[in-house]
């Protein structure tokens, strides 16, 4: 009933409803969603010892790069080129312990600009860039978005969320959704800059939800 996607609501996105996850933790759900396994037959050991969808794309000639802002790729990018976001890299987006996901958009912008500018050195091929966002990960939800994005108050601005009211917890979580929506809109705007020269697309997938 709340508008948690004010930044993408006019972009005519295609959405898929009623999806399920293999689990409620990134370490479990992320390898599963990138594999050919499903909720009923998924085994982490099996997923880690076979090619995932990104590996297959790489073998098909796509240049695949993984940008990390959520504490690790959980072996999904074990055979890929990976770029880790340093939490002390930019004071605008990072505080020494974590970074806002806008940092990924900045990295993507620089990456694409460099790729296209330096084609004489490295010819541009089919390109896949995975941005592993920290999104709405708790319990420190208030650290996932800048104050300027806050839309719902009062919000639970502390890590021990058991000391917040239900309203404050819902508000702070919904603020993380608004910020993710902002990041998606910003990424789409970046890709649209290249849409006259290249076929561009963005797919956003959530590995799991939260049982608030």
């Amino acid at each position: 009933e709340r508008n948690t996607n004010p930044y993408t609501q006019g972009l005519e996105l295609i959405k898929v409803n009623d999806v399920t996850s293999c689990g409620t933790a990134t370490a479990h759900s992320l390898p599963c969603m990138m594999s050919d396994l499903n909720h009923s037959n998924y085994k982490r050991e099996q997923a880690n010892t076979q090619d995932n969808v990104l590996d297959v794309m790489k073998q098909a000639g796509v240049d695949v790069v993984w940008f990390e802002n959520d504490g690790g790729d959980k072996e999904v990018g074990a055979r890929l080129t990976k770029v880790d976001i340093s939490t002390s890299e930019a004071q605008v987006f990072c505080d020494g312990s974590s970074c806002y996901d806008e940092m990924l958009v900045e990295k993507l912008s620089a990456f694409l600009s460099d790729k296209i500018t330096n084609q004489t050195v490295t010819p541009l091929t089919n390109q896949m860039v995975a941005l592993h966002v920290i999104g709405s990960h708790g319990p420190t939800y208030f650290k996932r978005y800048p104050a300027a994005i806050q839309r719902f108050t009062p919000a639970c601005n502390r890590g021990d969320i058991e000391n917040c009211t239900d309203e404050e917890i819902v508000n702070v979580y919904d603020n993380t959704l608004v910020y993710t929506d902002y990041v998606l809109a910003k990424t789409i705007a970046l890709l649209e800059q290249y849409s006259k020269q290249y076929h561009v697309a963005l797919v956003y997938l959530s590995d799991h939800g939260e049982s608030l």
Side-chain angles (χ1 to χ4, degrees):
E1 68 276 9
R2 279 180 160 179
N3 182 10
T4 53
N5 63 315
Y7 298 97
T8 64
Q9 62 181 357
L11 299 182
E12 299 182 353
L13 304 184
I14 299 171
K15 64 178 180 178
V16 179
N17 294 323
D18 302 320
V19 296
T20 57
S21 171
C22 285
T24 57
T26 301
H28 187 82
S29 56
L30 184 58
C32 179
M33 69 190 292
M34 294 294 181
S35 74
D36 65 347
L37 306 173
N38 57 45
H39 184 276
S40 61
N41 66 4
Y42 173 70
K43 292 181 180 179
R44 174 77 183 272
E45 298 79 10
Q46 183 177 349
N48 286 349
T49 54
Q50 66 184 29
D51 288 338
N52 60 49
V53 65
L54 299 179
D55 293 319
V56 173
M57 293 178 71
K58 179 181 177 180
Q59 292 177 27
V62 178
D63 182 15
V64 185
V65 181
W66 181 280
F67 285 81
E68 178 60 51
N69 191 40
D70 190 27
D73 61 273
K74 316 307 178 188
E75 303 301 319
V76 167
R79 293 164 291 277
L80 306 176
T81 299
K82 289 186 286 186
V83 179
D84 288 315
I85 302 300
S86 172
T87 57
S88 60
E89 189 165 342
Q91 293 184 358
V92 177
F93 299 122
C94 307
D95 63 3
S97 61
S98 63
C99 294
Y100 297 137
D101 285 324
E102 278 179 87
M103 191 66 200
L104 288 170
V105 185
E106 296 295 309
K107 287 288 186 180
L108 176 62
S109 178
F111 174 81
L112 294 177
S113 177
D114 181 66
K115 272 278 188 176
I116 292 171
T117 302
N118 297 317
Q119 286 189 59
T120 54
V121 179
T122 307
L124 188 67
T125 61
N126 290 328
Q127 184 73 57
M128 167 71 178
V129 181
L131 306 178
H132 190 197
V133 303
I134 196 166
S136 299
H137 270 270
T140 53
Y141 299 109
F142 70 100
K143 289 190 174 183
R144 303 293 169 250
Y145 59 90
I149 294 294
Q150 182 165 276
R151 190 179 182 93
F152 305 108
T153 57
C156 180
N157 295 321
R158 54 196 298 172
D160 52 345
I161 61 174
E162 66 273 12
N163 291 313
C164 293
T165 66
D166 288 353
E167 179 189 15
E168 289 170 334
I169 296 173
V170 170
N171 284 342
V172 75
Y173 182 73
D174 281 354
N175 285 332
T176 68
L177 299 182
V178 172
Y179 181 62
T180 294
D181 187 62
Y182 173 77
V183 171
L184 290 176
K186 195 171 181 179
T187 308
I188 291 170
L190 171 62
L191 294 177
E192 284 182 335
Q193 297 176 24
Y194 299 99
S195 61
K196 291 183 179 180
Q197 300 167 274
Y198 308 99
H199 295 293
V200 298
L202 178 143
V203 177
Y204 173 75
L205 302 167
S206 177
D207 57 345
H208 64 86
E210 293 280 57
S211 54
L212 294 177

